[in-house]
Amino acid sequence: MRLQWPNCLNVRDLGGLPTTDGRQIATGALIRSDNLTRLTDAGVEAVRETSVGRIIDVRTPPECEGDPSPFANDPIYRNMPLYHADDPYDATQTLDRQYVAMLDLNPDLIAGAVGAIADAPTGGVVVHCHAGKAGPGTWSHWP
């Protein structure tokens, strides 16, 4: 289900998606979005009204420095990059191959981000990168 957070372009509640054990992700438990840096004040308030307990920003530190999150100083925020800014990148690879390469190069970073979801406090978890990648060609580097 799409959510409306002013100035975010791609926010989705993943509630209702099936899990491997035949259940479903609970509504409001896991939200995927694009970069939160463009949020208006009303957008920041919309995030807070969603009862978010943790925000996981998977961008690299240089990306975060260039476009800081409005939540960067909030205890709910964690910067948990999935790759290093200088990791090799092959733009000719399909999106699924890019993710496999990312996992092969940085299993510890991926595990850290998953752990931050698993140990999140009460409330939903927002996971975001720069674009909230939905398909090939929407950004110039890693998802």
Side-chain angles (χ1 to χ4, degrees):
M1 168 177 66
R2 290 230 180 250
L3 300 176
Q4 297 300 313
W5 292 350
N7 279 15
C8 266
L9 306 175
N10 188 6
V11 183
R12 317 175 289 291
D13 182 339
L14 302 182
L17 290 178
T19 61
T20 58
D21 63 1
R23 298 175 12 189
Q24 293 181 342
I25 297 174
T27 300
L30 186 58
I31 297 167
R32 181 74 171 102
S33 78
D34 61 309
N35 197 337
L36 302 181
T37 63
R38 293 181 292 271
L39 286 172
T40 63
D41 290 343
V44 169
E45 185 57 30
V47 172
R48 294 197 187 285
E49 288 173 1
T50 308
S51 299
V52 170
R54 173 148 302 151
I55 295 171
I56 300 173
D57 182 345
V58 298
R59 298 175 301 150
T60 63
E63 290 174 310
C64 293
E65 290 165 14
D67 275 325
S69 171
F71 299 96
N73 295 317
D74 193 303
I76 66 173
Y77 176 84
R78 300 281 187 282
N79 177 228
M80 308 289 302
L82 302 180
Y83 63 95
H84 300 283
D86 60 350
D87 282 349
Y89 172 70
D90 181 354
T92 64
Q93 289 183 325
T94 61
L95 182 60
D96 61 333
R97 296 305 314 154
Q98 290 175 23
Y99 281 118
V100 168
M102 191 185 322
L103 181 58
D104 287 344
L105 287 169
N106 300 300
D108 55 327
L109 296 179
I110 307 289
V114 171
I117 294 170
D119 73 4
T122 301
V125 175
V126 175
V127 177
H128 81 87
C129 61
H130 180 73
K133 185 81 164 152
T138 57
W139 72 67
S140 63
H141 197 61
W142 291 98

